[in-house]
Amino acid sequence: MPNYIPYLALSAVSVAALAVLLVRKHAFWPLVLVLAFSGMIYFLEFFTFVLYGSYRYSPHLVSKPYYDNAFGAVVSNLIAVPVAAAYVAVYRLGARWWILSALGFGGIEWLFRWLEVYKLHWWKIPYTIAALIFFFWLARLWLEKVRQGAFPYVFLTLHMFAWSAIGTFLFALGVSGVRALHAGVFEDPYHDDIFMSAVCGFAKATLLAAVVYRTRSLGGYAVALLLIFAANAAMIRFDILRVYLPLWQYWLIYIPCMVAVLWSMNVALRTMKRLRFSSFRE
């Protein structure tokens, strides 16, 4: 069996579950929640996976080994676990469901390892189960706090939503060969790119979240975007960002995508504010 089959199967089930959730709720906010949870998992994975190589995925979907490794992480981080956490939060599932879900993901991890499409380094399956039980508890608490309009939760949801979106966009640009970031932190240039993409994506998300949360001024949005574009231009100038397309084509891709991220953040914030006056249950 090809390595990618288990990954695609997990992705298909997760996307179907997300589609059911969105249809049942007839709203955009569950998707905001899923992407925010993705960003939270990215934060943990930056340390365990990117910096310290906790495990290795082998879906064999991307020709560059470290990009292929990161693609496997995306299946888990961007899709499967956040969708499960969204169900826990939206339907206010109790501890029994947190434990069963965590054990289920532990079983998937064991299966992937048995199929030799996934390899543990220093990480252990019990770590996954314990971390997910905590994360599902946090997911349920998080949505309640967002509904109450608590500043740290609303702002961090917006920030993690943006980081998830920007990180996925930057990863797509890297995998497609449009650009690469180089800092020399890791010997493998693709590992180095993933590291720098995470750092740069986090910085961009922080700036945009602060602007969107504090102001709805088009002038403020324009200044934030110009700062990001100027930083990109500076990184190109100093050979930190290497672009493998004519620059006008790169900007033609990059600028509309960043504008789309900013617009989606604005929609996400309005959606979260409306949650204070609505019920989560149907």
Side-chain angles (χ1 to χ4, degrees), residues 50 63-68 70 171 174-175 177 179-182 186-197 244:
V50 177
S63 60
K64 306 296 188 297
Y66 197 83
Y67 280 165
D68 191 58
F171 179 66
V175 169
R179 65 101 189 103
L181 283 160
H182 174 73
F186 295 96
E187 184 177 351
D188 183 335
Y190 305 107
H191 192 170
D192 206 43
D193 177 58
I194 293 294
F195 167 79
M196 281 298 295
S197 294
Y244 304 113

Side-chain angles (χ1 to χ4, degrees), residues 109-250:
E109 191 170 358
W110 177 88
L111 177 62
F112 276 38
R113 188 181 180 190
W114 181 74
L115 292 171
E116 298 183 350
V117 299
Y118 170 75
K119 182 179 180 181
L120 292 171
H121 292 157
W122 57 267
W123 190 261
K124 306 293 182 185
I125 292 177
Y127 299 171
T128 299
I129 295 171
L132 287 178
I133 290 172
F134 171 77
F135 185 64
F136 292 144
W137 167 82
L138 179 64
R140 176 168 170 171
L141 171 69
W142 200 275
L143 185 54
E144 296 289 348
K145 293 296 184 180
V146 168
R147 189 185 185 190
Q148 294 167 13
F151 160 71
Y153 294 89
V154 174
F155 178 79
L156 287 174
T157 299
L158 190 64
H159 185 281
M160 292 294 104
F161 171 87
W163 193 26
S164 178
I166 293 170
T168 303
F169 167 56
L170 293 178
F171 179 66
L173 289 182
V175 169
S176 60
V178 170
R179 65 101 189 103
L181 283 160
H182 174 73
V185 176
F186 295 96
E187 184 177 351
D188 183 335
Y190 305 107
H191 192 170
D192 206 43
D193 177 58
I194 293 294
F195 167 79
M196 281 298 295
S197 294
V199 172
C200 291
F202 188 87
K204 293 171 187 176
T206 302
L207 173 61
L208 293 180
V211 170
V212 171
Y213 189 86
R214 289 298 181 186
T215 179
R216 291 190 178 181
S217 163
L218 291 178
Y221 293 173
V223 169
L225 288 174
L226 286 173
L227 286 173
I228 290 173
F229 300 153
N232 262 37
M235 287 192 294
I236 292 171
R237 172 68 179 80
F238 291 105
D239 198 35
I240 298 171
L241 173 58
R242 298 171 182 176
V243 177
Y244 304 113
L245 290 177
L247 280 179
W248 68 270
Q249 292 182 13
Y250 171 75

Side-chain angles (χ1 to χ4, degrees), residues 60-97:
H60 293 177
L61 284 168
V62 182
S63 60
K64 306 296 188 297
Y66 197 83
Y67 280 165
D68 191 58
N69 184 19
F71 189 89
V74 167
V75 171
S76 173
N77 301 340
L78 182 64
I79 307 173
V81 172
V83 170
Y87 268 85
V88 168
V90 170
Y91 293 106
R92 301 176 182 176
L93 301 180
R96 178 181 61 179
W97 290 102

